[in-house]
Amino acid sequence: MRTIGVLLLPGTRVFDLAVLGEVWGQDRTDSGIGPFTVRLCSPGRVRTPLSPFGDVAATHGLAGLGGCDLVLAPGRDDPGAPV
């Protein structure tokens, strides 16, 4: 497993995204773990508003999730909100 896809949707929780960054985004190759490529994917490859504040720039559109070894969806304020 080398490529991690993160689905970014409006209202993604900053804390949840930060946890994924700590787990998958840190360089731990000196411990024999990784390296991992993390793709931040959003519809239209746009900046995504986070909750409770801030935003993040996607590195890929939704097509970037294709070919990932693992796809993660961080929590959102309203998981049932339209995309």
Side-chain angles (χ1 to χ4, degrees):
M1 180 170 25
R2 296 285 182 225
T3 305
I4 312 300
V6 178
L7 176 60
L8 297 174
L9 297 172
T12 293
R13 303 279 309 160
V14 170
F15 176 80
D16 293 5
L17 184 59
V19 168
L20 297 180
E22 285 295 318
V23 172
W24 300 104
Q26 297 297 319
D27 181 1
R28 293 189 175 87
T29 52
D30 58 340
S31 298
I33 301 170
F36 300 104
T37 300
V38 177
R39 297 178 184 175
L40 300 176
C41 304
S42 71
R45 191 179 175 191
V46 297
R47 293 192 74 81
T48 302
L50 302 177
S51 176
F53 51 80
D55 60 18
V56 65
T59 59
H60 295 76
L62 293 180
L65 298 172
C68 288
D69 298 305
L70 179 66
V71 174
L72 302 168
R76 298 172 64 200
D77 275 341
D78 181 3
V83 175

